[in-house]
Amino acid sequence: MKAGTYILEAESVFYTFEPVTATIDSETETLPELIADRVQVCGQIDVGKTEMSKYTGQKRIIMIKSKHDYAEQKMQADDTGVFCTEVKIGEYTVTPLANLDDSAFELHLTPKSSDIKVEGPVDNLKFVQIKVVISGMVEYLDGAEENEATVALERAGEKARNVKAVKGKFEFSEVLPGSYKVSVVKNEYCWEKTVINVEIKAEGAKDVKFVQSGYALQYTSEKDVDVMITGEKSPVHFRAGDHFYCLKNKGEYEIKPVSYTHLRAHETSLHLVCRLLLEKKKKKKK
């Protein structure tokens, strides 16, 4: 190497080195050290393919803050949620900043921030979309948990999910925070509520409860009619069409039309079905 002044540079995928000026002459035995000035820090924001497809295209901004001098710098994630930057050796707090998509699609990341100690390259930072559990129970009047009602979970614009309430309990996992309708489906029963609206936050919901209030007497009527049912103190109005009336207990009931000629009814193993034969009483001609 000829005598003279040189600028020494080094390149690395994970480190950045400041150039060093070195004077070389006949007495120079070693070159000055190149010390890494900055180290690469990388990570990813993972909200899942389905949720990522909802984004308006607004890129996520991540802030990294030094614990030493509280200096802040921001970096932008790419379309896949991957982000990288370079920092000096030290301790930092990395925080994804909220954007409009978070509010619109109710996205919640965990952890909210991550503390890191940078002594070498960091490539394992990850912030993921919170997914929670919605669970609850179904209470039957006869305590028969083997009845296994179907419970549905529905969110606007998304396909409903259905599960069976096994032994009176049900659970939906991998649920995103947001507004949902939870409904119970077992047509031969009546319920205090068939639909419950729930607002799911980061902690999920574990107390959704459906309570059976009676047994459904299903009927078909060609016209409106008033009937007397065993145990009822006053006439019950049956509307025209296919409907049901709630009874407190299982059993056989005598149903007598008040304004029409006759009625036939029978009981199945699961629910009562009645068919009104609606014929007006013919007035005798004077």
Side-chain angles (χ1 to χ4, degrees), residues 171-200:
E171 179 178 295
F172 295 93
S173 59
E174 296 289 302
V175 178
L176 295 170
S179 300
Y180 292 86
K181 288 183 179 180
V182 187
S183 58
V184 62
V185 182
K186 198 164 182 65
N187 294 332
E188 54 267 38
Y189 291 160
C190 300
W191 305 91
E192 290 183 0
K193 290 182 179 180
T194 56
V195 178
I196 298 175
N197 294 314
V198 293
E199 189 70 27
I200 303 302

Side-chain angles (χ1 to χ4, degrees), residues 263-281:
L263 171 74
R264 290 203 302 266
H266 67 276
E267 183 183 23
T268 68
S269 59
L270 293 177
H271 60 277
L272 295 173
V273 180
C274 66
R275 170 74 178 175
L276 294 178
L277 303 178
L278 302 173
E279 297 178 358
K280 286 188 175 180
K281 292 181 179 179

Side-chain angles (χ1 to χ4, degrees), residues 75-278:
M75 49 189 150
Q76 188 178 72
D78 64 16
D79 292 336
T80 65
V82 173
F83 59 86
C84 281
T85 191
E86 293 176 340
V87 299
K88 293 180 178 294
I89 300 296
E91 296 183 4
Y92 297 86
T93 298
V94 183
T95 307
L97 301 182
N99 60 24
L100 295 177
D101 282 328
D102 292 356
S103 176
F105 301 114
E106 299 177 278
L107 299 176
H108 302 267
L109 297 176
T110 184
K112 291 184 178 180
S113 63
S114 182
D115 293 329
I116 59 173
K117 186 174 183 179
V118 179
E119 297 176 322
V122 176
D123 61 359
N124 58 353
L125 283 174
K126 196 160 190 177
F127 300 90
V128 298
Q129 166 64 35
I130 290 175
K131 293 184 179 180
V132 299
V133 171
I134 298 177
S135 61
M137 61 189 302
V138 179
E139 285 190 359
Y140 303 100
L141 287 176
D142 56 7
E145 296 178 343
E146 67 273 9
N147 289 327
E148 292 192 0
T150 297
V151 180
L153 178 68
E154 187 175 2
R155 188 183 190 189
E158 297 180 5
K159 185 178 179 180
R161 295 167 57 183
N162 299 317
V163 297
K164 289 287 187 182
V166 180
K167 294 184 178 180
K169 297 180 180 180
F170 65 88
E171 179 178 295
F172 295 93
S173 59
E174 296 289 302
V175 178
L176 295 170
S179 300
Y180 292 86
K181 288 183 179 180
V182 187
S183 58
V184 62
V185 182
K186 198 164 182 65
N187 294 332
E188 54 267 38
Y189 291 160
C190 300
W191 305 91
E192 290 183 0
K193 290 182 179 180
T194 56
V195 178
I196 298 175
N197 294 314
V198 293
E199 189 70 27
I200 303 302
K201 302 296 183 181
E203 64 274 11
K206 298 180 181 179
D207 57 355
V208 182
K209 186 176 182 180
F210 294 99
V211 179
Q212 182 191 355
S213 60
Y215 299 87
L217 174 67
Q218 298 179 350
Y219 67 85
T220 300
S221 177
E222 294 176 359
K223 299 180 181 179
D224 285 9
V225 61
D226 293 329
V227 300
M228 288 300 301
I229 301 177
T230 304
E232 299 291 345
K233 295 180 180 180
S234 58
V236 175
H237 184 71
F238 280 5
R239 294 176 295 155
D242 297 325
H243 300 286
F244 68 89
Y245 178 76
C246 288
L247 299 166
K248 289 291 184 182
N249 301 296
K250 284 183 177 180
E252 295 183 359
Y253 292 83
E254 184 179 5
I255 303 173
K256 295 181 179 180
V258 174
S259 55
Y260 295 93
T261 55
H262 56 278
L263 171 74
R264 290 203 302 266
H266 67 276
E267 183 183 23
T268 68
S269 59
L270 293 177
H271 60 277
L272 295 173
V273 180
C274 66
R275 170 74 178 175
L276 294 178
L277 303 178
L278 302 173

Side-chain angles (χ1 to χ4, degrees), residues 56-88:
T56 61
Q58 188 179 43
K59 299 279 180 77
R60 172 79 64 170
I61 302 298
I62 299 90
M63 183 176 70
I64 183 165
K65 184 176 182 179
S66 170
K67 290 187 176 183
H68 172 64
D69 58 9
Y70 303 105
E72 298 177 354
Q73 69 180 80
K74 295 179 181 179
M75 49 189 150
Q76 188 178 72
D78 64 16
D79 292 336
T80 65
V82 173
F83 59 86
C84 281
T85 191
E86 293 176 340
V87 299
K88 293 180 178 294

